[in-house]
Amino acid sequence: MNVTEAVASRRSVRQFLDKPVDQATLARVMAKAQRSPSGGNTQPWNAVILTGQPLADLTVKIKAKAATAPMGDGHEYDIYPKGLDGRYEDQRRGVGKAMFDALGLAREDGAGRIAQMMKNWDSFGAPVQLFTYTRKYMGPPQWSDMGMWLQTLMLLLREEGLDSCAQEIWAMYGTTMRELLNIDAAHIFFCGMAVGYRDADAAVNNFTVPRVEIDQAIRWDGF
């Protein structure tokens, strides 16, 4: 698989097969991803990777937390900026509508939509979760570095035939996640990323996710 194929086939997978992921494969991906760029070579990313009983135990605890605080509790950053508007908000709403339409969940089916969102806490059936965090004093450039690292991981996972779904939703319970993962208060929790093998037949993995034309995002000068 070349880079173009990895980029084209990567998507946020929301239904995984009940198939374990080999640790040696993950270690190989993680080692390669250390070549990701970062400003001044700071490499600000840190992660905890869970599977098996440790992941099952954390899942039970975070679902209990979500039941008592469904709107979140202890989040340490805004997942979406306040005042998100224009094409950015349209794109956010559009992909949500496309997903729910693919699942046959009408707008008025609040219970069905909530049930789908609750699948986040089960990692959409993925056997592995990667949780990312960094030092609290890190700024926007270092958060950008973490994003580049995660994207590198996602593409390398595709090379291995694996899939992923980056999940910022875990940050709704940021302080709880730090406690559950034994991450000290000098750090801030960023996100989770489900890792496994996609269920290729699941409707939630087959709807079209549109991208804007490059001329809407790119300005050309001097060409």
Side-chain angles (χ1 to χ4, degrees):
M1 181 179 293
N2 62 35
V3 177
T4 298
E5 291 167 336
V7 171
S9 62
R10 188 217 63 81
R11 66 177 293 140
S12 295
V13 168
R14 293 185 174 87
Q15 185 63 52
F16 291 84
L17 298 175
D18 183 15
K19 180 179 178 181
V21 177
D22 182 58
Q23 184 181 12
T25 301
L26 290 176
R28 183 164 58 247
V29 167
M30 301 301 293
K32 291 179 180 180
Q34 285 302 107
R35 298 300 305 168
S36 298
S38 60
N41 198 33
T42 52
Q43 303 172 58
W45 49 81
N46 300 274
V48 178
I49 304 175
L50 301 183
T51 192
Q53 196 58 49
L55 178 57
D57 292 343
L58 182 141
T59 297
V60 168
K61 292 173 182 176
I62 203 67
K63 288 171 78 171
K65 182 70 174 180
T68 61
M71 301 307 292
D73 177 52
H75 50 275
E76 300 177 292
Y77 72 91
D78 293 325
I79 295 176
Y80 297 108
K82 294 178 176 64
L84 188 68
D85 61 5
R87 72 172 178 89
Y88 309 109
E89 176 65 2
D90 291 342
Q91 288 155 195
R92 186 186 74 83
R93 290 180 177 274
V95 73
K97 181 179 185 303
M99 180 185 73
F100 288 129
D101 285 351
L103 292 168
L105 296 173
R107 184 176 180 83
E108 58 271 18
D109 186 0
R113 291 187 170 209
I114 290 173
Q116 174 60 33
M117 296 306 294
M118 288 295 289
K119 292 181 180 180
N120 274 279
W121 311 127
D122 289 307
S123 304
F124 301 115
V128 173
Q129 259 288 350
L130 181 148
F131 295 111
T132 311
Y133 62 100
T134 192
R135 292 296 292 267
K136 282 187 174 178
Y137 60 63
M138 296 295 184
Q142 289 74 47
W143 283 65
S144 174
D145 294 340
M146 283 196 292
M148 290 191 286
W149 176 70
L150 287 169
Q151 172 74 343
T152 301
L153 282 174
M154 288 187 274
L155 297 181
L156 289 168
L157 288 167
R158 288 301 303 125
E159 183 183 57
E160 297 282 357
L162 287 157
D163 291 285
S164 61
C165 183
Q167 298 173 273
E168 289 175 308
I169 194 170
W170 294 88
M172 289 174 60
Y173 306 98
T175 55
T176 297
M177 288 303 298
R178 284 199 290 104
E179 292 170 5
L180 294 177
L181 295 169
N182 196 28
I183 299 170
D184 64 49
H187 292 83
I188 183 170
F189 177 83
F190 178 23
C191 69
M193 188 170 78
V195 177
Y197 296 93
R198 80 173 70 180
D199 181 345
D201 297 325
V204 75
N205 292 333
N206 287 291
F207 67 91
T208 299
V209 181
R211 294 293 193 265
V212 299
E213 297 296 327
I214 61 170
D215 287 345
Q216 290 184 259
I218 306 297
R219 188 181 74 188
W220 303 85
D221 286 335
F223 289 89

